[in-house]
């Protein structure tokens, strides 16, 4: 059974728009996670914001973002000021730039997601955008709000779907040359190369996901399972909140009409929206 999507919205290229759903391509669901417990009572420990000087809890209405300009001075930013610099829509992936895939180095790729059409009506427009990128060897560049912050995206066609990579920002990437420049450029001994090559040949096998299984997680699960047998089963939890549906476009046009209008607008030097 396919995992439930964590994001729903729209994919748009000029006047071509379709409903899409996104889910992370990787999942930490199998990892063992812990809560902090009060050993004396068996209750969970609650985290709270407290004033650094007074030690008193801070009300949520008094919490505000602050940018440090010295050790004890901050520039305060209100919520409306932060919202003013955010994207106009957090639910539309609007592709306005294309780049050759080979021009984007691996280090800029952050987290992978699977993007799929959200209903049968969306499949035609989705397929046109996907196949056009695949035929030209291009990937789309866009932005959207994910994980509570604005993210740069790379959309790459992959099989029947599209893989959406969040991209790292420029100040997050370190230049390899800063670290590799001090390594001696001299060629290693030829005999040593042949010996290492032989070792590589002897240890070469086909890729299997079992090669990257976490043995620590298995051991933790065995310990937890053993302790769980000595405890009574917990009461079942109530269901969580339902996600609000994404906004619906004001109008729906045929793909061919949208494409013709988009191309005509581009020829005239304009940019259709």
């Amino acid at each position: 059974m396919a995992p439930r999507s964590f994001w729903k919205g729209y994919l748009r290229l000029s006047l071509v728009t379709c409903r899409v759903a996104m889910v992370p391509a990787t999942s930490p669901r199998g990892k063992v996670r812990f809560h902090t417990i009060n050993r004396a009572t068996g209750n969970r420990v609650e985290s709270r914001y407290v004033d650094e000087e007074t030690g008193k809890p801070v009300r949520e209405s008094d919490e505000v973002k602050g940018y440090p300009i010295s050790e004890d001075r901050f520039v305060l930013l209100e919520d409306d000021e932060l919202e003013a610099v955010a994207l106009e829509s957090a639910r539309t992936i609007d592709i306005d730039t294309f780049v050759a895939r080979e021009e984007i180095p691996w280090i800029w790729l952050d987290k992978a997601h699977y993007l799929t059409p959200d209903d049968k009506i969306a499949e035609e427009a989705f397929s046109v955008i996907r196949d056009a990128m695949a035929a030209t060897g291009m990937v789309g560049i866009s932005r959207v709000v994910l994980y509570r912050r604005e993210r740069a995206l790379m959309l790459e066609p992959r099989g029947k779907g599209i893989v959406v990579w969040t991209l790292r920002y420029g100040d997050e990437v370190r230049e390899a040359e800063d670290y590799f420049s001090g390594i001696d450029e001299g060629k290693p001994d030829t005999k040593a190369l042949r010996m290492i090559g032989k070792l590589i040949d002897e240890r070469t096998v086909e890729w299997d996901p079992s090669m990257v299984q976490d043995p620590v997680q298995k051991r933790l699960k065995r310990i937890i399972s053993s302790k769980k047998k000595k405890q009574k089963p917990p009461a079942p939890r109530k269901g969580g909140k339902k996600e609000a549906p994404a906004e619906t476009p004001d109008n729906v046009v045929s793909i061919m009409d949208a494409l013709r209008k988009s191309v005509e607008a581009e020829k005239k030097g304009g940019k259709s929206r």
Side-chain angles (χ1 to χ4, degrees):
M1 185 176 178
R4 189 177 171 188
S5 60
F6 88 116
W7 184 95
K8 289 190 176 186
Y10 296 89
L11 175 64
R12 182 166 66 192
L13 173 56
S14 192
L15 296 179
V16 180
T17 304
C18 62
R19 294 172 61 93
V20 289
M22 191 192 309
V23 65
T26 58
S27 172
R29 186 172 298 176
K31 296 289 186 182
V32 174
R33 297 185 179 276
F34 298 100
H35 293 285
T36 302
I37 305 298
N38 182 345
R39 188 193 297 274
T41 64
N43 299 326
R44 286 198 296 182
V45 175
E46 185 181 72
S47 298
R48 292 185 180 182
Y49 285 108
V50 297
D51 189 289
E52 186 180 48
E53 296 295 328
T54 67
K56 295 181 179 180
V58 180
R59 295 179 302 178
E60 186 175 354
S61 59
D62 289 332
E63 294 172 13
V64 63
K65 297 291 189 295
Y67 180 83
I69 55 176
S70 67
E71 187 175 346
D72 57 356
R73 294 181 62 207
F74 301 87
V75 173
L76 304 184
L77 295 173
E78 302 295 338
D79 289 343
D80 56 350
E81 293 175 307
L82 294 173
E83 291 173 2
V85 298
L87 290 178
E88 292 182 4
S89 174
R91 291 290 175 183
T92 301
I93 300 174
D94 195 351
I95 308 176
D96 56 6
T97 304
F98 290 92
V99 177
R101 174 62 184 88
E102 63 270 16
E103 291 184 6
I104 303 178
W106 63 270
I107 198 169
W108 293 94
L109 306 183
D110 184 18
K111 185 176 177 61
H113 305 74
Y114 295 137
L115 190 71
T116 58
D118 194 33
D119 53 41
K120 284 294 180 182
I121 297 175
E123 287 187 6
E124 185 179 4
F126 182 90
S127 299
V128 168
I129 296 173
R130 177 200 64 205
D131 291 353
M133 287 194 294
T136 57
M138 296 291 176
V139 292
I141 304 297
S142 185
R143 291 176 182 272
V144 80
V145 175
L146 288 177
Y147 308 107
R148 299 183 180 180
R149 58 175 283 200
E150 182 181 320
R151 305 276 177 165
L153 306 178
M154 182 190 84
L155 288 82
E156 180 179 16
R158 182 68 60 89
K160 294 182 180 179
I162 293 174
V163 174
V164 174
W165 284 92
T166 54
L167 298 177
R168 294 184 174 93
Y169 288 111
D171 57 357
E172 296 176 330
V173 175
R174 293 174 175 174
E175 292 294 337
E177 188 61 24
D178 294 341
Y179 303 90
F180 297 160
S181 60
I183 299 175
D184 187 4
E185 294 183 0
K187 293 184 178 180
D189 181 73
T190 304
K191 185 177 179 180
L193 276 176
R194 285 200 301 267
M195 292 175 66
I196 294 297
K198 186 177 180 181
L199 285 174
I200 292 173
D201 288 339
E202 290 173 352
R203 301 183 183 198
T204 298
V205 297
E206 292 185 359
W207 162 255
D208 191 293
S210 63
M211 296 176 185
V212 289
Q213 287 184 349
D214 188 347
V216 174
Q217 293 292 313
K218 286 187 175 181
R219 294 167 193 156
L220 282 173
K221 288 178 180 179
R222 283 199 295 267
I223 293 172
I224 292 170
S225 178
S226 176
K227 289 179 174 286
K228 188 177 179 181
K229 291 176 182 178
K230 301 175 184 179
Q231 297 181 2
K232 293 181 180 180
R237 291 185 175 184
K238 296 181 180 180
K241 296 180 180 179
K242 294 183 178 180
E243 183 180 348
E247 69 267 18
T248 304
D250 294 334
N251 59 334
V252 179
V253 295
S254 74
I255 294 173
M256 291 308 298
D257 287 344
L259 286 173
R260 277 193 290 267
K261 291 178 181 178
S262 298
V263 172
E264 289 172 1
E266 295 291 340
K267 286 181 179 179
K268 294 177 180 178
K271 203 165 191 180
S272 302
R273 288 291 179 209

